[in-house]
Amino acid sequence: MQRRKFLQKSSLSTAAVLSSSILSTCKNEKAKAAAPLVANAIKPIVIATWNVPNATTKAWQVLEKGGNALDAVEAGVKVEEADVDNQSVGKGGRPDREGHVTLDACIMDQHGNCGAVVYLKNITHAVSVARKVMEDTPHVMLAGEGAEQFADEKGFEKETLLTEKSRMEWLEWKKESKYEPVINIENHDTIGMLAIDAQGDICGACTTSGMAYKMAGRVGDSPIVGSGLFIDNEIGGATATGQGEEVVKTVGSFLVVELMRQGRSPQSACEEAVNRIVKGNPNFKDIQVGYIAINKNGQTGGYCIHPGFSYRVYSEYGHENIESNSYL
Ligand code: ASP
């Protein structure tokens, strides 16, 4: 839907709620109290890092039919995992410096249950393996060979994740082997998705192939519950993209949710989480991190260090890509 139509439709709706939510979220806000839970909270709704219309549309289709938020976020991020043109998640992801594509993912439901896989090879849908870890094991996280063996037992198909395109780029990179993460070279990275279903329950998922040409064995923030993703069904949810080490050091997504608990809006909470990374870090200009968040009322926010990060929101009021405000 075009922005103009989106705005028109929005203005006809529950304006009081919406005007302080989706439409205002890309503005720089100072800390302010989160609205108390309102009867006309925006739900269902889905929000995702980056401009991934196919993924949010898929999630929306689940929500629209009355499906639950967990199924919605899983179905949504799976779209990107299967898309070989998206070189930052799933099949087609860029490899580590040894040429291996290794995936990290996690998922979290409204009850606080979570599952994660790290350093998973040969399986496209890391998020679905993470969901199986959550639902079918007493554990939260499985890594490497164990994760792959588990996926095998659960009937996941093994595939070669390294595409010719990613392989050729890696061979090119190897000529110099210079490890320098490039900021926003394309309009996607980790795909983090948060959804509220018609029942008002919040769930989230996060999936990535990690930083391109990372050291073998490196794991980022994305599969670490509290860093790359966090959900508290009473408060809201948050998810991250960008340089995972910085997110892990500040337990970023948990921080965003806790700030919302203390009364911050999603926008203000994302800004403060970015500020924590920037503060006292002489190298912050070399780093990109972006957060998105949603609260129980369906109000959303996003913030990042460098311009260039955007996020996508889809609710009954329309769907739109929102350019995030940035620290720089
Ligand atoms: N957050 C991911 C990681 O550090 C990568 C990214 O979003 O660019 O693995």
Side-chain angles (χ1 to χ4, degrees):
M1 186 182 289
Q2 287 165 352
R3 182 175 176 84
R4 192 172 50 80
K5 282 197 193 146
F6 178 78
L7 293 173
Q8 275 171 358
K9 205 162 181 195
S10 303
S11 63
L12 295 173
S13 63
T14 47
V17 176
L18 194 60
S19 62
S20 64
S21 59
I22 298 174
L23 301 179
S24 68
T25 49
C26 51
K27 301 278 177 270
N28 230 339
E29 290 179 25
K30 292 287 166 229
K32 65 180 187 190
L37 188 60
V38 293
N40 53 353
I42 301 166
K43 62 183 165 87
I45 181 169
V46 57
I47 174 171
T49 54
W50 303 105
N51 188 15
V52 283
N54 296 338
T56 46
T57 300
K58 186 75 189 180
W60 177 255
Q61 284 164 355
V62 174
L63 295 169
E64 197 181 24
K65 285 190 217 129
N68 66 54
L70 192 66
D71 290 340
V73 293
E74 181 189 5
V77 303
K78 276 176 78 174
V79 170
E80 296 303 315
E81 288 181 335
D83 181 355
V84 290
D85 291 328
N86 184 337
Q87 291 179 278
S88 54
V89 299
K91 191 170 181 166
R94 292 195 177 85
D96 64 15
R97 38 182 91 169
E98 319 285 328
H100 302 298
V101 180
T102 69
L103 306 181
D104 298 336
C106 73
I107 193 160
M108 191 162 187
D109 75 10
Q110 72 272 23
H111 305 297
N113 297 314
C114 43
V117 287
V118 305
Y119 200 70
L120 177 68
K121 292 180 185 166
N122 303 319
I123 311 284
T124 298
H125 293 301
V127 72
S128 299
V129 185
R131 182 167 176 178
K132 288 278 180 213
V133 172
M134 174 173 86
E135 292 178 341
D136 296 356
T137 81
H139 306 305
V140 161
M141 189 182 277
L142 290 180
E145 272 178 34
E148 193 175 335
Q149 188 186 319
F150 172 73
D152 202 31
E153 284 162 15
K154 291 289 166 186
F156 284 85
E157 193 193 336
K158 288 206 185 200
E159 289 182 272
T160 302
L161 302 183
L162 186 64
T163 54
E164 196 48 22
K165 185 175 182 221
S166 289
R167 195 177 76 85
M168 294 311 285
E169 286 179 10
W170 165 64
L171 290 174
E172 197 52 40
W173 172 83
K174 275 216 316 179
K175 288 181 187 162
E176 279 197 43
S177 299
K178 210 160 125 199
Y179 184 61
E180 241 175 32
V182 183
I183 290 159
N184 295 336
I185 47 172
E186 50 192 338
N187 195 22
H188 47 73
D189 246 310
T190 295
I191 305 302
M193 188 176 275
L194 310 165
I196 306 181
D197 59 29
Q199 286 68 46
D201 287 326
I202 310 171
C203 298
C206 186
T207 186
T208 189
S209 50
M211 308 294 284
Y213 320 129
K214 59 196 176 184
M215 288 174 71
R218 181 265 187 188
V219 171
D221 61 310
S222 306
I224 300 176
V225 171
S227 291
L229 174 77
F230 194 70
I231 303 292
D232 183 321
N233 200 35
E234 284 184 1
I235 306 297
T239 187
T241 180
Q243 201 160 312
E245 283 73 8
E246 302 308 314
V247 177
V248 170
K249 285 187 227 168
T250 49
V251 201
S253 293
F254 181 73
L255 174 62
V256 171
V257 173
E258 287 305 299
L259 288 165
M260 291 195 289
R261 187 193 307 282
Q262 290 163 22
R264 302 253 194 161
S265 67
Q267 181 62 32
S268 172
C270 289
E271 289 177 15
E272 176 58 20
V274 165
N275 289 343
R276 297 276 176 103
I277 292 172
V278 166
K279 200 174 151 197
N281 185 341
N283 302 320
F284 81 88
K285 286 189 180 159
D286 301 330
I287 297 163
Q288 172 65 313
V289 168
Y291 288 108
I292 59 168
I294 193 164
N295 69 12
K296 193 72 176 167
N297 288 331
Q299 295 173 306
T300 62
Y303 198 62
C304 54
I305 300 177
H306 287 267
F309 169 56
S310 68
Y311 54 99
R312 195 143 187 116
V313 183
Y314 203 146
S315 76
E316 67 178 293
Y317 306 114
H319 49 106
E320 193 180 38
N321 184 50
I322 296 175
E323 281 302 321
S324 167
N325 268 23
S326 57
Y327 186 90
L328 289 171

PDB file of all heavy atoms in Angstrom, residues 28-62:
ATOM      1  N   ASN A  28      12.276  10.996  16.235  1.00  0.00           N
ATOM      2  CA  ASN A  28      13.109  10.967  17.423  1.00  0.00           C
ATOM      3  C   ASN A  28      12.264  11.331  18.638  1.00  0.00           C
ATOM      4  O   ASN A  28      11.698  12.399  18.685  1.00  0.00           O
ATOM      5  CB  ASN A  28      14.193  12.037  17.261  1.00  0.00           C
ATOM      6  CG  ASN A  28      15.541  11.474  17.537  1.00  0.00           C
ATOM      7  OD1 ASN A  28      15.661  10.443  18.194  1.00  0.00           O
ATOM      8  ND2 ASN A  28      16.553  12.140  17.050  1.00  0.00           N
ATOM      9  N   GLU A  29      12.170  10.438  19.568  1.00  0.00           N
ATOM     10  CA  GLU A  29      11.355  10.737  20.744  1.00  0.00           C
ATOM     11  C   GLU A  29      12.225  10.786  21.981  1.00  0.00           C
ATOM     12  O   GLU A  29      13.187  10.066  22.094  1.00  0.00           O
ATOM     13  CB  GLU A  29      10.334   9.628  20.980  1.00  0.00           C
ATOM     14  CG  GLU A  29       9.250   9.565  19.963  1.00  0.00           C
ATOM     15  CD  GLU A  29       8.310   8.408  20.293  1.00  0.00           C
ATOM     16  OE1 GLU A  29       8.234   8.013  21.465  1.00  0.00           O
ATOM     17  OE2 GLU A  29       7.692   7.922  19.364  1.00  0.00           O
ATOM     18  N   LYS A  30      11.820  11.595  22.910  1.00  0.00           N
ATOM     19  CA  LYS A  30      12.449  11.559  24.227  1.00  0.00           C
ATOM     20  C   LYS A  30      11.708  10.490  25.019  1.00  0.00           C
ATOM     21  O   LYS A  30      10.608  10.079  24.667  1.00  0.00           O
ATOM     22  CB  LYS A  30      12.295  12.926  24.913  1.00  0.00           C
ATOM     23  CG  LYS A  30      13.103  14.005  24.237  1.00  0.00           C
ATOM     24  CD  LYS A  30      14.613  13.844  24.520  1.00  0.00           C
ATOM     25  CE  LYS A  30      15.400  14.712  23.567  1.00  0.00           C
ATOM     26  NZ  LYS A  30      16.481  14.026  22.897  1.00  0.00           N
ATOM     27  N   ALA A  31      12.321  10.049  26.107  1.00  0.00           N
ATOM     28  CA  ALA A  31      11.671   9.042  26.930  1.00  0.00           C
ATOM     29  C   ALA A  31      10.291   9.520  27.344  1.00  0.00           C
ATOM     30  O   ALA A  31      10.110  10.669  27.727  1.00  0.00           O
ATOM     31  CB  ALA A  31      12.510   8.794  28.167  1.00  0.00           C
ATOM     32  N   LYS A  32       9.338   8.659  27.210  1.00  0.00           N
ATOM     33  CA  LYS A  32       8.000   9.021  27.674  1.00  0.00           C
ATOM     34  C   LYS A  32       7.299   7.747  28.105  1.00  0.00           C
ATOM     35  O   LYS A  32       7.660   6.656  27.721  1.00  0.00           O
ATOM     36  CB  LYS A  32       7.230   9.745  26.593  1.00  0.00           C
ATOM     37  CG  LYS A  32       6.919   8.922  25.375  1.00  0.00           C
ATOM     38  CD  LYS A  32       6.152   9.748  24.358  1.00  0.00           C
ATOM     39  CE  LYS A  32       5.701   8.855  23.216  1.00  0.00           C
ATOM     40  NZ  LYS A  32       5.166   9.582  22.113  1.00  0.00           N
ATOM     41  N   ALA A  33       6.292   7.926  28.920  1.00  0.00           N
ATOM     42  CA  ALA A  33       5.627   6.761  29.475  1.00  0.00           C
ATOM     43  C   ALA A  33       4.934   5.973  28.385  1.00  0.00           C
ATOM     44  O   ALA A  33       4.304   6.529  27.501  1.00  0.00           O
ATOM     45  CB  ALA A  33       4.618   7.217  30.515  1.00  0.00           C
ATOM     46  N   ALA A  34       5.074   4.647  28.430  1.00  0.00           N
ATOM     47  CA  ALA A  34       4.349   3.803  27.499  1.00  0.00           C
ATOM     48  C   ALA A  34       2.875   3.879  27.861  1.00  0.00           C
ATOM     49  O   ALA A  34       2.512   3.971  29.025  1.00  0.00           O
ATOM     50  CB  ALA A  34       4.843   2.371  27.628  1.00  0.00           C
ATOM     51  N   ALA A  35       2.033   3.875  26.819  1.00  0.00           N
ATOM     52  CA  ALA A  35       0.598   3.950  27.078  1.00  0.00           C
ATOM     53  C   ALA A  35       0.167   2.728  27.869  1.00  0.00           C
ATOM     54  O   ALA A  35       0.662   1.633  27.639  1.00  0.00           O
ATOM     55  CB  ALA A  35      -0.123   3.992  25.744  1.00  0.00           C
ATOM     56  N   PRO A  36      -0.769   2.904  28.809  1.00  0.00           N
ATOM     57  CA  PRO A  36      -1.315   1.720  29.473  1.00  0.00           C
ATOM     58  C   PRO A  36      -2.056   0.891  28.437  1.00  0.00           C
ATOM     59  O   PRO A  36      -2.455   1.422  27.391  1.00  0.00           O
ATOM     60  CB  PRO A  36      -2.272   2.317  30.512  1.00  0.00           C
ATOM     61  CG  PRO A  36      -2.562   3.693  30.051  1.00  0.00           C
ATOM     62  CD  PRO A  36      -1.392   4.147  29.241  1.00  0.00           C
ATOM     63  N   LEU A  37      -2.230  -0.359  28.699  1.00  0.00           N
ATOM     64  CA  LEU A  37      -2.871  -1.230  27.719  1.00  0.00           C
ATOM     65  C   LEU A  37      -4.257  -0.693  27.363  1.00  0.00           C
ATOM     66  O   LEU A  37      -5.068  -0.416  28.226  1.00  0.00           O
ATOM     67  CB  LEU A  37      -2.992  -2.648  28.286  1.00  0.00           C
ATOM     68  CG  LEU A  37      -3.470  -3.695  27.292  1.00  0.00           C
ATOM     69  CD1 LEU A  37      -2.513  -3.785  26.109  1.00  0.00           C
ATOM     70  CD2 LEU A  37      -3.601  -5.031  27.978  1.00  0.00           C
ATOM     71  N   VAL A  38      -4.469  -0.518  26.078  1.00  0.00           N
ATOM     72  CA  VAL A  38      -5.736   0.060  25.642  1.00  0.00           C
ATOM     73  C   VAL A  38      -6.593  -0.997  24.967  1.00  0.00           C
ATOM     74  O   VAL A  38      -6.084  -1.969  24.416  1.00  0.00           O
ATOM     75  CB  VAL A  38      -5.506   1.241  24.656  1.00  0.00           C
ATOM     76  CG1 VAL A  38      -4.859   2.406  25.359  1.00  0.00           C
ATOM     77  CG2 VAL A  38      -4.694   0.807  23.459  1.00  0.00           C
ATOM     78  N   ALA A  39      -7.916  -0.762  25.024  1.00  0.00           N
ATOM     79  CA  ALA A  39      -8.847  -1.742  24.461  1.00  0.00           C
ATOM     80  C   ALA A  39      -8.658  -1.864  22.955  1.00  0.00           C
ATOM     81  O   ALA A  39      -8.789  -2.937  22.390  1.00  0.00           O
ATOM     82  CB  ALA A  39     -10.267  -1.329  24.784  1.00  0.00           C
ATOM     83  N   ASN A  40      -8.333  -0.740  22.319  1.00  0.00           N
ATOM     84  CA  ASN A  40      -8.203  -0.784  20.857  1.00  0.00           C
ATOM     85  C   ASN A  40      -6.739  -0.865  20.425  1.00  0.00           C
ATOM     86  O   ASN A  40      -6.324  -0.235  19.461  1.00  0.00           O
ATOM     87  CB  ASN A  40      -8.892   0.419  20.213  1.00  0.00           C
ATOM     88  CG  ASN A  40      -8.407   1.719  20.808  1.00  0.00           C
ATOM     89  OD1 ASN A  40      -7.652   1.697  21.778  1.00  0.00           O
ATOM     90  ND2 ASN A  40      -8.813   2.825  20.238  1.00  0.00           N
ATOM     91  N   ALA A  41      -5.976  -1.661  21.144  1.00  0.00           N
ATOM     92  CA  ALA A  41      -4.577  -1.898  20.761  1.00  0.00           C
ATOM     93  C   ALA A  41      -4.539  -2.424  19.327  1.00  0.00           C
ATOM     94  O   ALA A  41      -5.464  -3.084  18.878  1.00  0.00           O
ATOM     95  CB  ALA A  41      -3.958  -2.916  21.708  1.00  0.00           C
ATOM     96  N   ILE A  42      -3.452  -2.111  18.635  1.00  0.00           N
ATOM     97  CA  ILE A  42      -3.342  -2.556  17.242  1.00  0.00           C
ATOM     98  C   ILE A  42      -2.958  -4.027  17.224  1.00  0.00           C
ATOM     99  O   ILE A  42      -1.858  -4.400  17.607  1.00  0.00           O
ATOM    100  CB  ILE A  42      -2.274  -1.728  16.504  1.00  0.00           C
ATOM    101  CG1 ILE A  42      -2.646  -0.258  16.534  1.00  0.00           C
ATOM    102  CG2 ILE A  42      -2.130  -2.199  15.065  1.00  0.00           C
ATOM    103  CD1 ILE A  42      -1.509   0.651  16.136  1.00  0.00           C
ATOM    104  N   LYS A  43      -3.861  -4.852  16.793  1.00  0.00           N
ATOM    105  CA  LYS A  43      -3.598  -6.275  16.651  1.00  0.00           C
ATOM    106  C   LYS A  43      -4.610  -6.864  15.674  1.00  0.00           C
ATOM    107  O   LYS A  43      -5.749  -6.388  15.672  1.00  0.00           O
ATOM    108  CB  LYS A  43      -3.629  -6.994  17.996  1.00  0.00           C
ATOM    109  CG  LYS A  43      -4.973  -6.949  18.733  1.00  0.00           C
ATOM    110  CD  LYS A  43      -4.857  -7.624  20.091  1.00  0.00           C
ATOM    111  CE  LYS A  43      -6.014  -7.302  20.980  1.00  0.00           C
ATOM    112  NZ  LYS A  43      -7.174  -8.032  20.973  1.00  0.00           N
ATOM    113  N   PRO A  44      -4.190  -7.796  14.860  1.00  0.00           N
ATOM    114  CA  PRO A  44      -2.825  -8.300  14.775  1.00  0.00           C
ATOM    115  C   PRO A  44      -1.906  -7.300  14.073  1.00  0.00           C
ATOM    116  O   PRO A  44      -2.364  -6.402  13.377  1.00  0.00           O
ATOM    117  CB  PRO A  44      -2.966  -9.581  13.944  1.00  0.00           C
ATOM    118  CG  PRO A  44      -4.216  -9.421  13.163  1.00  0.00           C
ATOM    119  CD  PRO A  44      -5.111  -8.503  13.939  1.00  0.00           C
ATOM    120  N   ILE A  45      -0.646  -7.534  14.260  1.00  0.00           N
ATOM    121  CA  ILE A  45       0.369  -6.683  13.630  1.00  0.00           C
ATOM    122  C   ILE A  45       1.670  -7.469  13.557  1.00  0.00           C
ATOM    123  O   ILE A  45       1.952  -8.311  14.419  1.00  0.00           O
ATOM    124  CB  ILE A  45       0.543  -5.361  14.425  1.00  0.00           C
ATOM    125  CG1 ILE A  45       1.581  -4.445  13.767  1.00  0.00           C
ATOM    126  CG2 ILE A  45       0.876  -5.605  15.884  1.00  0.00           C
ATOM    127  CD1 ILE A  45       1.611  -3.016  14.338  1.00  0.00           C
ATOM    128  N   VAL A  46       2.441  -7.187  12.526  1.00  0.00           N
ATOM    129  CA  VAL A  46       3.773  -7.799  12.416  1.00  0.00           C
ATOM    130  C   VAL A  46       4.776  -6.736  12.019  1.00  0.00           C
ATOM    131  O   VAL A  46       4.454  -5.810  11.269  1.00  0.00           O
ATOM    132  CB  VAL A  46       3.772  -9.002  11.435  1.00  0.00           C
ATOM    133  CG1 VAL A  46       3.296  -8.610  10.048  1.00  0.00           C
ATOM    134  CG2 VAL A  46       5.151  -9.650  11.355  1.00  0.00           C
ATOM    135  N   ILE A  47       5.969  -6.852  12.560  1.00  0.00           N
ATOM    136  CA  ILE A  47       7.045  -5.896  12.265  1.00  0.00           C
ATOM    137  C   ILE A  47       8.322  -6.709  12.054  1.00  0.00           C
ATOM    138  O   ILE A  47       8.559  -7.685  12.763  1.00  0.00           O
ATOM    139  CB  ILE A  47       7.172  -4.860  13.408  1.00  0.00           C
ATOM    140  CG1 ILE A  47       8.377  -3.943  13.215  1.00  0.00           C
ATOM    141  CG2 ILE A  47       7.208  -5.476  14.776  1.00  0.00           C
ATOM    142  CD1 ILE A  47       8.414  -2.771  14.201  1.00  0.00           C
ATOM    143  N   ALA A  48       9.127  -6.288  11.071  1.00  0.00           N
ATOM    144  CA  ALA A  48      10.352  -7.045  10.786  1.00  0.00           C
ATOM    145  C   ALA A  48      11.496  -6.096  10.469  1.00  0.00           C
ATOM    146  O   ALA A  48      11.280  -5.006   9.927  1.00  0.00           O
ATOM    147  CB  ALA A  48      10.148  -7.974   9.592  1.00  0.00           C
ATOM    148  N   THR A  49      12.700  -6.517  10.807  1.00  0.00           N
ATOM    149  CA  THR A  49      13.874  -5.753  10.413  1.00  0.00           C
ATOM    150  C   THR A  49      13.981  -5.779   8.892  1.00  0.00           C
ATOM    151  O   THR A  49      13.707  -6.782   8.251  1.00  0.00           O
ATOM    152  CB  THR A  49      15.158  -6.365  11.008  1.00  0.00           C
ATOM    153  OG1 THR A  49      15.232  -7.750  10.652  1.00  0.00           O
ATOM    154  CG2 THR A  49      15.206  -6.220  12.520  1.00  0.00           C
ATOM    155  N   TRP A  50      14.378  -4.685   8.322  1.00  0.00           N
ATOM    156  CA  TRP A  50      14.639  -4.524   6.886  1.00  0.00           C
ATOM    157  C   TRP A  50      13.350  -4.539   6.063  1.00  0.00           C
ATOM    158  O   TRP A  50      12.280  -4.871   6.564  1.00  0.00           O
ATOM    159  CB  TRP A  50      15.625  -5.578   6.376  1.00  0.00           C
ATOM    160  CG  TRP A  50      16.915  -5.525   7.130  1.00  0.00           C
ATOM    161  CD1 TRP A  50      17.335  -6.410   8.082  1.00  0.00           C
ATOM    162  CD2 TRP A  50      17.931  -4.507   7.061  1.00  0.00           C
ATOM    163  NE1 TRP A  50      18.547  -6.015   8.595  1.00  0.00           N
ATOM    164  CE2 TRP A  50      18.939  -4.863   7.979  1.00  0.00           C
ATOM    165  CE3 TRP A  50      18.069  -3.347   6.296  1.00  0.00           C
ATOM    166  CZ2 TRP A  50      20.064  -4.082   8.164  1.00  0.00           C
ATOM    167  CZ3 TRP A  50      19.206  -2.581   6.472  1.00  0.00           C
ATOM    168  CH2 TRP A  50      20.192  -2.951   7.394  1.00  0.00           C
ATOM    169  N   ASN A  51      13.544  -4.183   4.817  1.00  0.00           N
ATOM    170  CA  ASN A  51      12.407  -4.093   3.903  1.00  0.00           C
ATOM    171  C   ASN A  51      12.155  -5.466   3.274  1.00  0.00           C
ATOM    172  O   ASN A  51      12.667  -5.764   2.203  1.00  0.00           O
ATOM    173  CB  ASN A  51      12.704  -3.037   2.841  1.00  0.00           C
ATOM    174  CG  ASN A  51      11.484  -2.774   1.990  1.00  0.00           C
ATOM    175  OD1 ASN A  51      10.367  -3.147   2.346  1.00  0.00           O
ATOM    176  ND2 ASN A  51      11.689  -2.128   0.853  1.00  0.00           N
ATOM    177  N   VAL A  52      11.395  -6.276   3.985  1.00  0.00           N
ATOM    178  CA  VAL A  52      11.169  -7.647   3.532  1.00  0.00           C
ATOM    179  C   VAL A  52       9.660  -7.878   3.342  1.00  0.00           C
ATOM    180  O   VAL A  52       9.022  -8.606   4.108  1.00  0.00           O
ATOM    181  CB  VAL A  52      11.766  -8.666   4.535  1.00  0.00           C
ATOM    182  CG1 VAL A  52      13.268  -8.738   4.383  1.00  0.00           C
ATOM    183  CG2 VAL A  52      11.409  -8.314   5.993  1.00  0.00           C
ATOM    184  N   PRO A  53       9.092  -7.263   2.296  1.00  0.00           N
ATOM    185  CA  PRO A  53       7.635  -7.339   2.111  1.00  0.00           C
ATOM    186  C   PRO A  53       7.113  -8.763   1.962  1.00  0.00           C
ATOM    187  O   PRO A  53       6.009  -9.072   2.429  1.00  0.00           O
ATOM    188  CB  PRO A  53       7.390  -6.517   0.836  1.00  0.00           C
ATOM    189  CG  PRO A  53       8.714  -6.368   0.173  1.00  0.00           C
ATOM    190  CD  PRO A  53       9.750  -6.465   1.237  1.00  0.00           C
ATOM    191  N   ASN A  54       7.894  -9.630   1.323  1.00  0.00           N
ATOM    192  CA  ASN A  54       7.393 -11.004   1.144  1.00  0.00           C
ATOM    193  C   ASN A  54       7.254 -11.710   2.495  1.00  0.00           C
ATOM    194  O   ASN A  54       6.317 -12.474   2.727  1.00  0.00           O
ATOM    195  CB  ASN A  54       8.338 -11.807   0.240  1.00  0.00           C
ATOM    196  CG  ASN A  54       8.383 -11.227  -1.161  1.00  0.00           C
ATOM    197  OD1 ASN A  54       7.455 -10.524  -1.571  1.00  0.00           O
ATOM    198  ND2 ASN A  54       9.454 -11.498  -1.888  1.00  0.00           N
ATOM    199  N   ALA A  55       8.205 -11.420   3.367  1.00  0.00           N
ATOM    200  CA  ALA A  55       8.191 -12.060   4.688  1.00  0.00           C
ATOM    201  C   ALA A  55       7.051 -11.534   5.553  1.00  0.00           C
ATOM    202  O   ALA A  55       6.324 -12.307   6.191  1.00  0.00           O
ATOM    203  CB  ALA A  55       9.534 -11.829   5.384  1.00  0.00           C
ATOM    204  N   THR A  56       6.871 -10.213   5.569  1.00  0.00           N
ATOM    205  CA  THR A  56       5.805  -9.669   6.418  1.00  0.00           C
ATOM    206  C   THR A  56       4.419 -10.008   5.836  1.00  0.00           C
ATOM    207  O   THR A  56       3.467 -10.227   6.580  1.00  0.00           O
ATOM    208  CB  THR A  56       5.949  -8.140   6.613  1.00  0.00           C
ATOM    209  OG1 THR A  56       6.216  -7.530   5.360  1.00  0.00           O
ATOM    210  CG2 THR A  56       7.047  -7.808   7.597  1.00  0.00           C
ATOM    211  N   THR A  57       4.339 -10.082   4.512  1.00  0.00           N
ATOM    212  CA  THR A  57       3.060 -10.463   3.909  1.00  0.00           C
ATOM    213  C   THR A  57       2.698 -11.891   4.311  1.00  0.00           C
ATOM    214  O   THR A  57       1.556 -12.194   4.656  1.00  0.00           O
ATOM    215  CB  THR A  57       3.117 -10.335   2.367  1.00  0.00           C
ATOM    216  OG1 THR A  57       3.400  -8.971   2.050  1.00  0.00           O
ATOM    217  CG2 THR A  57       1.822 -10.748   1.709  1.00  0.00           C
ATOM    218  N   LYS A  58       3.685 -12.752   4.273  1.00  0.00           N
ATOM    219  CA  LYS A  58       3.454 -14.155   4.653  1.00  0.00           C
ATOM    220  C   LYS A  58       2.970 -14.234   6.104  1.00  0.00           C
ATOM    221  O   LYS A  58       2.006 -14.945   6.415  1.00  0.00           O
ATOM    222  CB  LYS A  58       4.761 -14.943   4.487  1.00  0.00           C
ATOM    223  CG  LYS A  58       4.620 -16.415   4.711  1.00  0.00           C
ATOM    224  CD  LYS A  58       3.930 -17.061   3.525  1.00  0.00           C
ATOM    225  CE  LYS A  58       3.572 -18.505   3.796  1.00  0.00           C
ATOM    226  NZ  LYS A  58       2.908 -19.129   2.658  1.00  0.00           N
ATOM    227  N   ALA A  59       3.650 -13.514   6.975  1.00  0.00           N
ATOM    228  CA  ALA A  59       3.260 -13.521   8.389  1.00  0.00           C
ATOM    229  C   ALA A  59       1.850 -12.952   8.543  1.00  0.00           C
ATOM    230  O   ALA A  59       1.029 -13.470   9.307  1.00  0.00           O
ATOM    231  CB  ALA A  59       4.254 -12.710   9.209  1.00  0.00           C
ATOM    232  N   TRP A  60       1.584 -11.892   7.801  1.00  0.00           N
ATOM    233  CA  TRP A  60       0.264 -11.267   7.882  1.00  0.00           C
ATOM    234  C   TRP A  60      -0.831 -12.240   7.458  1.00  0.00           C
ATOM    235  O   TRP A  60      -1.913 -12.297   8.056  1.00  0.00           O
ATOM    236  CB  TRP A  60       0.222  -9.991   7.030  1.00  0.00           C
ATOM    237  CG  TRP A  60      -1.144  -9.391   7.037  1.00  0.00           C
ATOM    238  CD1 TRP A  60      -2.067  -9.411   6.035  1.00  0.00           C
ATOM    239  CD2 TRP A  60      -1.781  -8.739   8.146  1.00  0.00           C
ATOM    240  NE1 TRP A  60      -3.221  -8.800   6.435  1.00  0.00           N
ATOM    241  CE2 TRP A  60      -3.071  -8.380   7.733  1.00  0.00           C
ATOM    242  CE3 TRP A  60      -1.371  -8.431   9.442  1.00  0.00           C
ATOM    243  CZ2 TRP A  60      -3.968  -7.723   8.566  1.00  0.00           C
ATOM    244  CZ3 TRP A  60      -2.266  -7.771  10.286  1.00  0.00           C
ATOM    245  CH2 TRP A  60      -3.542  -7.427   9.845  1.00  0.00           C
ATOM    246  N   GLN A  61      -0.540 -13.023   6.419  1.00  0.00           N
ATOM    247  CA  GLN A  61      -1.547 -13.981   5.938  1.00  0.00           C
ATOM    248  C   GLN A  61      -1.920 -14.970   7.047  1.00  0.00           C
ATOM    249  O   GLN A  61      -3.070 -15.394   7.158  1.00  0.00           O
ATOM    250  CB  GLN A  61      -1.026 -14.721   4.700  1.00  0.00           C
ATOM    251  CG  GLN A  61      -1.076 -13.846   3.462  1.00  0.00           C
ATOM    252  CD  GLN A  61      -0.232 -14.385   2.302  1.00  0.00           C
ATOM    253  OE1 GLN A  61       0.483 -15.381   2.450  1.00  0.00           O
ATOM    254  NE2 GLN A  61      -0.315 -13.722   1.168  1.00  0.00           N
ATOM    255  N   VAL A  62      -0.954 -15.332   7.851  1.00  0.00           N
ATOM    256  CA  VAL A  62      -1.224 -16.241   8.974  1.00  0.00           C
ATOM    257  C   VAL A  62      -2.089 -15.517  10.018  1.00  0.00           C
ATOM    258  O   VAL A  62      -3.104 -16.034  10.485  1.00  0.00           O
ATOM    259  CB  VAL A  62       0.098 -16.730   9.613  1.00  0.00           C
ATOM    260  CG1 VAL A  62      -0.171 -17.542  10.872  1.00  0.00           C
ATOM    261  CG2 VAL A  62       0.917 -17.530   8.607  1.00  0.00           C
TER     262      VAL A  62
END
